[in-house]
Amino acid sequence: MRVYIPATLAMLQRLVADQSMHALSGTAFAVTPTLRESYAEGDDDELAEVALREAALASLRLLAAEEADDGQERSDRGSDDGLPLRRAVLVADVEGATIRPDLDDAVVRLAGPIGVGDVVAAYLDNAAAEPAVRAAIAVVDLADFGDEDAELTVGDAQDHDLAWYATQELPFLLELL
């Protein structure tokens, strides 16, 4: 099954260093039967785009959690990891993913860690998206609770297209950041 795994740049660094990584709570997104049923029209490519966008939104939430954690750690250690704020999504082909329609139409649970050999590609924000991503991180929780201004701010970040990178480009890309 092709899955879209929300990630952060720190998670991608771990993937490159360790040659594997665990998705947070094993959560990923895919073109599931429930997702297909929820759209009256759309081919596999269009539905894959929906799953990718859901993973990109989840990546935004991961960034918000990292920022909250980093704020606490920065006060303890006085430094930052220096990584830019960019959404990241890994595309991987995996076996044993469990469909979770109780969570959302495109959600799947992964059976275990993802190896670098399972990764087909990565999608990342460009530098131009960073201001919108930073603003969205600050309000993503409010958007989840229906705040209209926050929803628009998150939408501004989601409007930025993610750039595609081949798996073998990840080490070089991360080094250049």
Side-chain angles (χ1 to χ4, degrees):
M1 171 183 278
R2 173 131 317 157
V3 296
Y4 301 85
I5 306 162
T8 64
L9 294 178
M11 292 170 75
L12 296 183
Q13 284 181 326
R14 284 192 296 277
L15 171 68
V16 169
D18 300 341
Q19 296 295 293
S20 70
M21 68 166 241
H22 288 272
L24 184 65
S25 300
T27 301
F29 299 83
V31 178
T32 65
T34 308
L35 182 64
R36 283 184 207 286
E37 290 173 13
S38 66
Y39 282 83
E41 294 181 14
D43 62 15
D44 282 348
D45 289 338
E46 291 170 325
L47 294 174
E49 183 68 26
V50 171
L52 173 66
R53 289 184 59 75
E54 290 294 320
L57 183 57
S59 174
L60 190 64
R61 290 185 180 102
L62 291 174
L63 287 168
E66 274 188 4
E67 279 290 288
D69 290 346
D70 282 351
Q72 178 61 39
E73 291 173 18
R74 268 188 230 127
S75 64
D76 296 341
R77 69 176 196 265
S79 67
D80 186 6
D81 61 12
L83 292 171
L85 292 174
R86 298 187 189 176
R87 296 170 299 156
V89 176
L90 290 174
V91 183
D93 289 328
V94 300
E95 298 292 326
T98 307
I99 298 169
R100 293 293 311 266
D102 56 314
L103 297 177
D104 205 351
D105 292 344
V107 176
V108 296
R109 185 78 45 166
L110 302 176
I114 299 300
V116 96
D118 300 324
V119 177
V120 176
Y123 286 88
L124 275 79
D125 273 320
N126 291 314
E130 286 180 42
V133 169
R134 181 174 301 284
I137 285 170
V139 298
V140 69
D141 289 336
L142 293 172
D144 287 342
F145 288 111
D147 182 291
E148 289 182 24
D149 289 336
E151 288 174 1
L152 290 171
T153 301
V154 170
D156 288 344
Q158 288 286 82
D159 285 344
H160 287 271
D161 290 329
L162 300 172
W164 180 92
Y165 294 93
T167 307
Q168 60 270 25
E169 293 177 294
L170 283 178
F172 305 109
L173 176 65
L174 293 169
E175 190 175 301
L176 292 173
L177 297 176

PDB file of all heavy atoms in Angstrom, residues 52-65:
ATOM      1  N   LEU A  52      -2.143  13.138   0.468  1.00  0.00           N
ATOM      2  CA  LEU A  52      -0.928  13.936   0.640  1.00  0.00           C
ATOM      3  C   LEU A  52      -1.235  15.220   1.403  1.00  0.00           C
ATOM      4  O   LEU A  52      -0.498  15.601   2.321  1.00  0.00           O
ATOM      5  CB  LEU A  52      -0.313  14.251  -0.720  1.00  0.00           C
ATOM      6  CG  LEU A  52       0.876  15.208  -0.723  1.00  0.00           C
ATOM      7  CD1 LEU A  52       2.075  14.597  -0.015  1.00  0.00           C
ATOM      8  CD2 LEU A  52       1.243  15.587  -2.155  1.00  0.00           C
ATOM      9  N   ARG A  53      -2.315  15.891   1.065  1.00  0.00           N
ATOM     10  CA  ARG A  53      -2.690  17.127   1.762  1.00  0.00           C
ATOM     11  C   ARG A  53      -3.031  16.866   3.234  1.00  0.00           C
ATOM     12  O   ARG A  53      -2.711  17.676   4.102  1.00  0.00           O
ATOM     13  CB  ARG A  53      -3.844  17.824   1.052  1.00  0.00           C
ATOM     14  CG  ARG A  53      -3.425  18.440  -0.282  1.00  0.00           C
ATOM     15  CD  ARG A  53      -4.531  19.212  -0.968  1.00  0.00           C
ATOM     16  NE  ARG A  53      -5.076  20.316  -0.202  1.00  0.00           N
ATOM     17  CZ  ARG A  53      -4.474  21.489   0.000  1.00  0.00           C
ATOM     18  NH1 ARG A  53      -3.279  21.710  -0.490  1.00  0.00           N
ATOM     19  NH2 ARG A  53      -5.076  22.437   0.706  1.00  0.00           N
ATOM     20  N   GLU A  54      -3.684  15.743   3.506  1.00  0.00           N
ATOM     21  CA  GLU A  54      -3.977  15.382   4.898  1.00  0.00           C
ATOM     22  C   GLU A  54      -2.676  15.142   5.674  1.00  0.00           C
ATOM     23  O   GLU A  54      -2.546  15.558   6.828  1.00  0.00           O
ATOM     24  CB  GLU A  54      -4.866  14.145   4.957  1.00  0.00           C
ATOM     25  CG  GLU A  54      -6.284  14.388   4.489  1.00  0.00           C
ATOM     26  CD  GLU A  54      -7.052  15.337   5.392  1.00  0.00           C
ATOM     27  OE1 GLU A  54      -6.907  15.257   6.627  1.00  0.00           O
ATOM     28  OE2 GLU A  54      -7.801  16.173   4.850  1.00  0.00           O
ATOM     29  N   ALA A  55      -1.710  14.478   5.035  1.00  0.00           N
ATOM     30  CA  ALA A  55      -0.417  14.244   5.678  1.00  0.00           C
ATOM     31  C   ALA A  55       0.325  15.560   5.892  1.00  0.00           C
ATOM     32  O   ALA A  55       0.984  15.746   6.926  1.00  0.00           O
ATOM     33  CB  ALA A  55       0.416  13.273   4.845  1.00  0.00           C
ATOM     34  N   ALA A  56       0.221  16.493   4.935  1.00  0.00           N
ATOM     35  CA  ALA A  56       0.868  17.794   5.084  1.00  0.00           C
ATOM     36  C   ALA A  56       0.262  18.577   6.246  1.00  0.00           C
ATOM     37  O   ALA A  56       0.974  19.254   6.997  1.00  0.00           O
ATOM     38  CB  ALA A  56       0.759  18.589   3.788  1.00  0.00           C
ATOM     39  N   LEU A  57      -1.047  18.462   6.433  1.00  0.00           N
ATOM     40  CA  LEU A  57      -1.698  19.109   7.573  1.00  0.00           C
ATOM     41  C   LEU A  57      -1.236  18.472   8.883  1.00  0.00           C
ATOM     42  O   LEU A  57      -0.966  19.167   9.867  1.00  0.00           O
ATOM     43  CB  LEU A  57      -3.217  19.030   7.441  1.00  0.00           C
ATOM     44  CG  LEU A  57      -4.034  19.718   8.519  1.00  0.00           C
ATOM     45  CD1 LEU A  57      -3.696  21.199   8.629  1.00  0.00           C
ATOM     46  CD2 LEU A  57      -5.524  19.522   8.247  1.00  0.00           C
ATOM     47  N   ALA A  58      -1.099  17.159   8.877  1.00  0.00           N
ATOM     48  CA  ALA A  58      -0.587  16.474  10.073  1.00  0.00           C
ATOM     49  C   ALA A  58       0.863  16.874  10.345  1.00  0.00           C
ATOM     50  O   ALA A  58       1.269  17.005  11.504  1.00  0.00           O
ATOM     51  CB  ALA A  58      -0.712  14.964   9.901  1.00  0.00           C
ATOM     52  N   SER A  59       1.636  17.101   9.290  1.00  0.00           N
ATOM     53  CA  SER A  59       3.011  17.574   9.463  1.00  0.00           C
ATOM     54  C   SER A  59       3.026  18.933  10.153  1.00  0.00           C
ATOM     55  O   SER A  59       3.876  19.203  10.999  1.00  0.00           O
ATOM     56  CB  SER A  59       3.710  17.652   8.103  1.00  0.00           C
ATOM     57  OG  SER A  59       4.992  18.234   8.231  1.00  0.00           O
ATOM     58  N   LEU A  60       2.080  19.780   9.799  1.00  0.00           N
ATOM     59  CA  LEU A  60       1.953  21.087  10.445  1.00  0.00           C
ATOM     60  C   LEU A  60       1.726  20.918  11.947  1.00  0.00           C
ATOM     61  O   LEU A  60       2.315  21.625  12.764  1.00  0.00           O
ATOM     62  CB  LEU A  60       0.806  21.860   9.795  1.00  0.00           C
ATOM     63  CG  LEU A  60       0.651  23.323  10.141  1.00  0.00           C
ATOM     64  CD1 LEU A  60       1.848  24.125   9.658  1.00  0.00           C
ATOM     65  CD2 LEU A  60      -0.615  23.854   9.511  1.00  0.00           C
ATOM     66  N   ARG A  61       0.894  19.953  12.300  1.00  0.00           N
ATOM     67  CA  ARG A  61       0.650  19.683  13.726  1.00  0.00           C
ATOM     68  C   ARG A  61       1.913  19.159  14.420  1.00  0.00           C
ATOM     69  O   ARG A  61       2.172  19.488  15.581  1.00  0.00           O
ATOM     70  CB  ARG A  61      -0.501  18.706  13.873  1.00  0.00           C
ATOM     71  CG  ARG A  61      -1.834  19.307  13.496  1.00  0.00           C
ATOM     72  CD  ARG A  61      -2.992  18.350  13.760  1.00  0.00           C
ATOM     73  NE  ARG A  61      -4.241  18.963  13.375  1.00  0.00           N
ATOM     74  CZ  ARG A  61      -4.886  18.692  12.250  1.00  0.00           C
ATOM     75  NH1 ARG A  61      -4.415  17.796  11.406  1.00  0.00           N
ATOM     76  NH2 ARG A  61      -6.025  19.298  11.969  1.00  0.00           N
ATOM     77  N   LEU A  62       2.687  18.324  13.703  1.00  0.00           N
ATOM     78  CA  LEU A  62       3.954  17.841  14.262  1.00  0.00           C
ATOM     79  C   LEU A  62       4.917  19.000  14.503  1.00  0.00           C
ATOM     80  O   LEU A  62       5.609  19.037  15.529  1.00  0.00           O
ATOM     81  CB  LEU A  62       4.602  16.811  13.330  1.00  0.00           C
ATOM     82  CG  LEU A  62       3.911  15.468  13.185  1.00  0.00           C
ATOM     83  CD1 LEU A  62       4.605  14.632  12.114  1.00  0.00           C
ATOM     84  CD2 LEU A  62       3.886  14.726  14.515  1.00  0.00           C
ATOM     85  N   LEU A  63       4.963  19.927  13.569  1.00  0.00           N
ATOM     86  CA  LEU A  63       5.816  21.106  13.735  1.00  0.00           C
ATOM     87  C   LEU A  63       5.384  21.930  14.937  1.00  0.00           C
ATOM     88  O   LEU A  63       6.224  22.430  15.689  1.00  0.00           O
ATOM     89  CB  LEU A  63       5.792  21.967  12.469  1.00  0.00           C
ATOM     90  CG  LEU A  63       6.547  21.423  11.270  1.00  0.00           C
ATOM     91  CD1 LEU A  63       6.203  22.217  10.020  1.00  0.00           C
ATOM     92  CD2 LEU A  63       8.042  21.430  11.530  1.00  0.00           C
ATOM     93  N   ALA A  64       4.082  22.072  15.127  1.00  0.00           N
ATOM     94  CA  ALA A  64       3.576  22.813  16.279  1.00  0.00           C
ATOM     95  C   ALA A  64       3.999  22.128  17.578  1.00  0.00           C
ATOM     96  O   ALA A  64       4.412  22.796  18.533  1.00  0.00           O
ATOM     97  CB  ALA A  64       2.055  22.935  16.203  1.00  0.00           C
ATOM     98  N   ALA A  65       3.929  20.811  17.603  1.00  0.00           N
ATOM     99  CA  ALA A  65       4.352  20.066  18.801  1.00  0.00           C
ATOM    100  C   ALA A  65       5.851  20.209  19.024  1.00  0.00           C
ATOM    101  O   ALA A  65       6.292  20.390  20.166  1.00  0.00           O
ATOM    102  CB  ALA A  65       3.972  18.594  18.666  1.00  0.00           C
TER     103      ALA A  65
END
